[in-house]
Amino acid sequence: TIEDAAGTKLPQVGIFAMGKKSRRPNRNNDAGSKNSADASTATAAAPTPTTTTSRTMNNAELAYPSDGPSEIELLQTTSATLQMKLDQLIQLARAGDRSNFVKQFVPLDLSPNDTAAYLADLTTEEEAESQWTNLIAEIAAIAAGRGVDRIEGDQIERAVFYFKHPLYEACDREVSFVCSSPGGEW
């Protein structure tokens, strides 16, 4: 088990979200970094949460308000339509509307059965709360540009965000967004 800042014991969970784990070696590891084959087989130890004090996120954790100038540079998308999509996802997450969140988040070509299964993963399955918490934390971080290392793609038809997971140390993430057509649905 893992203890949060208040000493409450939390079960150790994996990280779940749509997207792929980065295959880049962790820049914070020096000589002890693993290659992607070793990392895919090392499932016994999950990363340790750094800032989570409860199993659900509140609205304050979905926004990263500015506290004035800092040395940390935020990297947000240059696409107005993608930023609007990210903001829409944040609003749905704040409202706790998982069904509409999933409808807006999943790829447009995902089958209705797969969409329903993903919604079940976020609502009724054993790990639903931890998956939901991780997913919305990642979307909030991407929307705010917090922890984003770089964005690849033209940001017109495709954008791939590389960022540090906002709740877990030493966890690099990669999330892709694809637009149906220039100026279309992300």
Side-chain angles (χ1 to χ4, degrees):
T1 59
I2 299 171
E3 290 189 18
D4 64 15
T8 305
K9 291 188 179 189
L10 301 172
Q12 201 166 16
V13 297
I15 297 171
F16 302 93
M18 294 191 71
K20 295 181 179 177
K21 186 172 187 319
S22 175
R23 289 194 171 117
R24 295 180 299 139
N26 186 338
R27 289 185 305 270
N28 294 334
N29 283 349
D30 21 299
S33 68
K34 297 180 179 181
N35 65 30
S36 60
D38 291 340
S40 65
T41 59
T43 57
T48 304
T50 57
T51 58
T52 304
T53 58
S54 70
R55 300 227 5 132
T56 59
M57 294 183 69
N58 60 39
N59 286 344
E61 293 170 311
L62 292 177
Y64 298 105
S66 174
D67 59 354
S70 73
E71 294 180 18
I72 299 172
E73 189 169 329
L74 301 178
L75 181 60
Q76 291 179 287
T77 181
T78 56
S79 169
T81 57
L82 179 52
Q83 188 64 48
M84 286 184 347
K85 172 59 89 171
L86 294 169
D87 293 342
Q88 176 188 35
L89 292 170
I90 296 297
Q91 291 303 320
L92 292 168
R94 282 187 179 141
D97 190 348
R98 295 181 194 199
S99 177
N100 282 320
F101 180 96
V102 167
K103 288 176 188 172
Q104 294 300 315
F105 180 67
V106 299
L108 297 173
D109 61 352
L110 195 64
S111 75
N113 287 343
D114 287 342
T115 301
Y118 186 60
L119 178 60
D121 285 346
L122 296 175
T123 55
T124 60
E125 297 299 322
E126 184 178 334
E127 301 285 333
E129 287 306 312
S130 63
Q131 288 188 45
W132 175 248
T133 299
N134 284 315
L135 177 60
I136 63 177
E138 289 182 354
I139 297 298
I142 289 170
R146 183 173 183 220
V148 176
D149 178 51
R150 71 184 186 280
I151 304 170
E152 291 182 357
D154 59 11
Q155 298 186 53
I156 296 169
E157 294 179 352
R158 187 170 197 276
V160 182
F161 293 82
Y162 295 88
F163 60 101
K164 296 199 177 303
H165 194 286
L167 302 178
Y168 294 96
E169 284 186 35
C171 180
D172 293 336
R173 296 291 294 149
E174 174 184 330
V175 175
S176 299
F177 290 87
V178 178
C179 190
S180 59
S181 63
E185 179 69 20
W186 283 93

